[in-house]
Amino acid sequence: MNKLAICPGSFDPITNGHLDIIKRGANIFDNVVVVIFNNSAKTSLFSVEERINLIKEATKDMKNVSVDVSDDLLINYAKEKKASVILRGLRAVSDFEYEMQITSMNRRLAKDVETFFVMTNNQYSFLSSSIVKEVAKYQGKVTGLVPEIVEAALKEKYD
Ligand code: ADP
């Protein structure tokens, strides 16, 4: 059976930390769908369309990776797509409590969808979309932390 993994998040914007997780997932599972969940509690810098385009461009060499968007509950989306895995990244201990809460709830809602954690590469353990935006806002250099296309898009936003 084809193993489909969903990699959910805000991706506002996609960073090299996200890409690292996606790439490693793509080496394990048959297909990975990066899904932008439109979380109304968060205000975003990039529109959904912009985020889709940035993810598509950044993952264009990964043939089994595609992009989607949803405003459904993650676990409903996973069931509808018959996904077997939810792929998440773990950076630091601070991620753990939040992830455990979500994972426990998702398991309660759907026992056959497994959440799979990939420990981040050390060089990205401090990296988040928020910190990248904060640095870029004040014209700090984010080279090496985000794909080049994202770096250019951030420059355009904050110019
Ligand atoms: P969310 O708002 O759901 O946390 P994000 O876009 O911030 O969405 O993150 C999506 C996923 O990517 C999460 O599993 C998060 O832990 C993971 N992630 C984010 N940044 C990194 C990083 N630097 N290294 C590894 N995983 C990361």
Side-chain angles (χ1 to χ4, degrees):
M1 202 182 101
N2 250 20
K3 287 258 181 256
L4 169 66
I6 291 174
C7 186
S10 324
F11 305 100
D12 184 42
I14 188 163
T15 68
N16 285 348
H18 289 129
L19 271 179
D20 180 52
I21 299 301
I22 296 165
K23 212 174 284 172
R24 284 152 70 194
N27 286 336
I28 298 168
F29 303 109
D30 296 304
N31 291 289
V32 174
V33 189
V34 181
V35 190
I36 299 170
F37 279 86
N38 237 337
N39 185 344
S40 52
K42 282 188 184 175
T43 41
S44 56
L45 175 66
F46 291 96
S47 70
V48 169
E49 286 69 33
E50 289 172 320
R51 283 181 270 164
I52 291 176
N53 288 336
L54 293 174
I55 299 171
K56 275 194 179 156
E57 184 60 30
T59 60
K60 67 172 190 272
D61 294 333
M62 299 180 227
K63 297 297 168 222
N64 59 343
V65 174
S66 56
V67 189
D68 198 6
V69 57
S70 173
D71 44 24
D72 202 350
L73 190 64
L74 165 60
I75 203 71
N76 290 346
Y77 178 93
K79 281 200 270 189
E80 189 195 309
K81 298 287 172 185
K82 298 191 172 25
S84 26
V85 170
I86 295 169
L87 176 67
R88 296 285 289 176
L90 271 184
R91 280 164 293 191
V93 185
S94 49
D95 279 345
F96 186 81
E97 205 172 330
Y98 173 70
E99 294 293 342
M100 193 166 126
Q101 206 177 7
I102 297 184
T103 302
S104 306
M105 179 53 82
N106 283 340
R107 190 178 297 131
R108 193 188 152 93
L109 296 171
K111 285 189 178 47
D112 47 352
V113 181
E114 196 64 64
T115 303
F116 192 94
F117 291 98
V118 180
M119 194 73 78
T120 187
N121 216 310
N122 283 349
Q123 57 180 321
Y124 302 133
S125 57
F126 64 93
L127 186 58
S128 67
S129 300
S130 323
I131 205 159
V132 160
K133 283 183 280 191
E134 191 65 18
V135 171
K137 189 174 170 182
Y138 297 98
Q139 274 71 48
K141 237 177 138 172
V142 292
T143 313
L145 301 177
V146 292
E148 278 176 23
I149 182 149
V150 172
E151 195 178 348
L154 281 164
K155 260 196 193 122
E156 206 160 291
K157 284 275 177 203
Y158 289 124
D159 235 9

